[in-house]
Amino acid sequence: MELRQGDRAILIDCGLFQGSRTLETLNHGAFSFDPGKIEAVVLTHAHIDHCGLLPKLAAQGFEGPIWCTPATSDLLEYMLADAGRIQESEADRRNRRRDRAGENRFEPLYTEEDALRAWRLSRPVGLSEWFDPAPGFRARFWNAGHILGAASAEIEAAGVHMLFSGDLGPENKAFHADPQAPSGLDHIVCEATYGDRAREKFTIEQRRSQLESEIKDALVRGGNLVIPSFALERTQELLLDLARLADANRIPNVPIFVDSPLASRATKVFAAHAAELEDTEGKDIFRHPSIHYVEDVAESVRLNTMSGAIIMAASGMCEAGRIRHHLKHNLFRRDSTVLFVGFQAKGTLGRVLLDGAQRVRISGEDINVRARIRRIDSYSAHADRDELHDWITARRPIAGSLFLDHGEREAVASLRELVQADDPAASIIAPQIGETYALEPGTPARRTQTGRVDMDQLAGPDWQNDYADFITHLKHHLGRIRNERARRDALVQMRRILDGYEEARHRR
């Protein structure tokens, strides 16, 4: 998000689009501004959807400071470097696919070197400390209760008092105190990730009991328990609970593998900040006899021969990383369980599995889904609808406008309706990408430029999701046709339809 005052501009976060392949193509588009003329970035936290385009920004000319909390700066080194390696490896993998032979080569969005260049621009500043990100701008951070180092950003410029929520954490969040922020502002930008969901409230002990039950049910089947887990925060919360359950002999004595080099590095940052975290008694609780950190690829591959183990791997939405490798080797097993513990965006493999897919396509292979698919919501790092509503209410009075972002269309609409019921005359805006607004003290925001109108289509499942579903079921459907000639006739008809589209395109 760009904030401009005269000829000076700063960014609030600079994140990567995540979701369907079509949505992710937006990452390769040009910035709507000149990166070399951005004077600073105010970064709320180290999740990739908030920081993942910083390397591209730096590679295209940005040289200013990236202001963030000390913990965010520590995490950023590993998060960005890992993102750069993923960009390089994904481009290489696609270029090596036989079905792409002769096509134009993929270029990585950015490299590991670009990522480290961006990290070196980080400037740590503590909570509640005022700083000047650029001439004419004044800012300070407030605890957002979301992940280690996460903050909301209060900014003053040209007499306008603004607050950017970043991502907000829920009540009863491990490690972190509840969110804090000032009240009486001109304009607020608030996230709406779970704006349409009121989750059942769990204490940490209730959450552990729920995890205990899932582990016992999974392991009694004889196979593995595979947990797609975000490397940052979610993995560390799970490790905290697994260690506590193991120490109390509440779960079987089985090996717990953390198969994510990034998660291992992030865990070291958590250990270094243990004195700042709740629930750890100031100790490094991540070193436990049952927990094994998997570093090299060969060790990861050896997990294929395992049964009766707990395997945690990134990414949390199953879109990249080692989790896809473990899903390939466990989804077809009736004795294995896949347990989701985090948000799954539309169009991601994780969402497809949760929605009940019987077959999925992973790295060009069709996989039958016979494993048990489970989900628990008690580990969310995001505030739910009611908690977001309470946070917004506590910020009142809001003299200008409330912007709701960072949520799927239904989530934003639901939260908007709830907040609007408190004050029907309030200015509540659900901005589109590319829209610009004039912000003034004490008056509602005024739109000065329209944005993209196709984001609803881009945010959901795309043609590549449909293609993967079609191709994984094609052989099954053909097998149900009575005889070989009829099957060949069906293929001929499908080819004619595709050829018809091609002919129509040439005619146009």
Side-chain angles (χ1 to χ4, degrees):
M1 185 177 303
E2 181 186 9
L3 276 183
R4 181 170 293 279
Q5 180 185 192
D7 59 354
R8 297 187 178 278
I10 66 172
L11 298 183
I12 311 299
D13 294 343
C14 190
L16 202 68
F17 289 99
Q18 295 178 307
S20 70
R21 290 285 185 263
T22 300
L23 182 64
E24 290 176 355
T25 60
L26 296 178
N27 295 316
H28 293 268
F31 288 115
S32 61
F33 47 80
D34 181 351
K37 294 183 178 179
I38 298 297
E39 298 199 38
V41 176
V42 177
L43 179 63
T44 61
H45 64 288
H47 271 152
I48 290 300
D49 61 332
H50 289 257
C51 70
L53 282 183
L54 289 173
K56 178 181 175 180
L57 190 75
Q60 295 188 5
F62 172 72
E63 297 179 340
I66 299 172
W67 297 91
C68 57
T69 64
T72 294
S73 178
D74 291 345
L75 289 167
L76 209 58
E77 176 182 5
Y78 303 121
M79 296 296 291
L80 292 184
D82 183 76
R85 287 191 293 270
I86 288 175
Q87 293 294 334
E88 292 182 86
S89 65
E90 281 292 295
D92 180 64
R93 181 187 64 79
R94 292 185 183 186
N95 289 329
R96 285 188 284 105
R97 283 178 54 166
R98 285 176 291 182
D99 61 349
R100 296 201 69 259
E103 297 186 18
N104 293 334
R105 290 181 60 81
F106 280 100
E107 294 297 329
L109 182 61
Y110 51 78
T111 66
E112 182 178 1
E113 182 180 348
D114 295 329
L116 291 173
R117 182 187 304 117
W119 164 67
R120 294 188 187 100
L121 297 174
S122 65
R123 297 291 181 271
V125 60
L127 295 176
S128 303
E129 296 180 20
W130 284 104
F131 61 96
D132 298 328
F137 295 88
R138 186 170 179 250
R140 62 177 169 175
F141 289 123
W142 294 83
N143 168 51
H146 173 56
I147 65 168
L148 180 64
S152 300
E154 178 185 5
I155 295 181
E156 296 178 354
V160 181
H161 192 191
M162 298 162 281
L163 180 65
F164 299 82
S165 72
D167 286 352
L168 298 169
E171 298 173 3
N172 293 317
K173 177 78 172 63
F175 300 134
H176 312 300
D178 291 342
Q180 296 178 316
S183 59
L185 300 122
D186 291 310
H187 304 281
I188 294 177
V189 177
C190 181
E191 64 117 330
T193 308
Y194 281 116
D196 58 346
R197 303 184 200 181
R199 293 188 304 266
E200 182 180 355
K201 300 300 186 288
F202 290 91
T203 65
I204 291 179
E205 177 52 40
Q206 288 172 329
R207 183 184 74 188
R208 286 176 186 161
S209 295
Q210 193 176 29
L211 179 63
E212 174 188 2
S213 177
E214 292 292 344
I215 291 172
K216 288 178 176 178
D217 288 348
L219 296 179
V220 77
R221 299 165 64 89
N224 294 314
L225 172 59
V226 178
I227 306 178
S229 181
F230 299 102
L232 175 53
E233 191 78 19
R234 190 60 41 79
T235 291
Q236 291 75 36
E237 284 189 291
L238 284 164
L239 291 177
L240 169 68
D241 287 354
L242 288 166
R244 295 287 190 253
L245 291 172
D247 286 343
N249 295 315
R250 291 170 58 181
I251 58 174
N253 183 22
V254 299
I256 301 166
F257 296 99
V258 180
D259 190 12
S260 167
L262 176 59
S264 299
R265 297 182 184 108
T267 301
K268 292 178 182 177
V269 177
F270 270 74
H273 287 267
E276 307 163 28
L277 302 177
E278 297 179 349
D279 309 303
T280 66
E281 294 85 41
K283 302 175 183 177
D284 180 359
I285 51 87
F286 305 108
R287 296 183 181 276
H288 190 278
S290 296
I291 299 172
H292 309 276
Y293 295 93
V294 179
E295 295 293 337
D296 61 66
V297 174
E299 189 178 359
S300 175
V301 171
R302 282 196 292 271
L303 297 182
N304 295 342
T305 63
M306 298 286 298
S307 283
I310 299 173
I311 302 172
M312 299 164 55
S315 70
M317 295 187 196
C318 309
E319 285 298 283
R322 294 184 182 180
I323 189 60
R324 294 174 73 88
H325 163 77
H326 293 300
L327 290 174
K328 283 176 63 175
H329 289 86
N330 284 275
L331 279 175
F332 69 90
R333 296 178 55 176
R334 297 186 187 279
D335 59 354
S336 286
T337 300
V338 178
L339 175 63
F340 287 97
V341 293
F343 179 75
Q344 305 298 312
K346 291 180 178 179
T348 62
L349 176 58
R351 182 67 163 262
V352 169
L353 288 168
L354 273 179
D355 287 345
Q358 296 181 335
R359 295 175 187 81
V360 293
R361 193 169 179 83
I362 301 177
S363 302
E365 292 187 37
D366 298 339
I367 310 293
N368 287 323
V369 180
R370 297 191 178 97
R372 196 173 61 132
I373 308 298
R374 299 287 296 167
R375 176 182 188 173
I376 54 179
D377 283 332
S378 49
Y379 281 92
S380 178
H382 282 273
D384 71 359
R385 181 194 65 193
D386 295 338
E387 290 161 336
L388 289 170
H389 182 214
D390 290 344
W391 185 89
I392 292 169
T393 300
R395 308 283 78 78
R396 288 182 171 136
I398 303 170
S401 295
L402 168 66
F403 293 84
L404 299 178
D405 72 347
H406 199 284
E408 294 173 352
R409 181 172 56 86
E410 299 84 358
V412 172
S414 177
L415 183 59
R416 182 178 187 171
E417 181 180 357
L418 182 64
V419 177
Q420 196 85 66
D422 296 337
D423 182 2
S427 171
I428 304 176
I429 299 170
Q432 295 288 343
I433 288 178
E435 284 185 341
T436 62
Y437 288 83
L439 305 181
E440 298 176 354
T443 60
R446 176 171 48 86
R447 187 170 66 182
T448 58
Q449 180 176 310
T450 58
R452 297 188 61 151
V453 297
D454 60 345
M455 286 307 298
D456 285 344
Q457 289 78 20
L458 294 178
D462 63 359
W463 74 268
Q464 296 187 73
N465 293 111
D466 295 337
Y467 166 75
D469 180 71
F470 174 78
I471 205 69
T472 54
H473 289 82
L474 178 59
K475 187 174 181 180
H476 174 72
H477 287 308
L478 289 172
R480 295 170 62 183
I481 296 176
R482 289 189 302 272
N483 56 62
E484 182 175 351
R485 178 161 185 172
R487 295 185 197 111
R488 297 187 70 182
D489 286 344
L491 289 169
V492 169
Q493 291 178 46
M494 283 186 274
R495 186 178 294 276
R496 283 175 180 163
I497 292 172
L498 293 174
D499 290 342
Y501 280 110
E502 185 68 13
E503 291 171 6
R505 185 177 70 84
H506 284 303
R507 284 198 298 270
R508 288 197 299 269

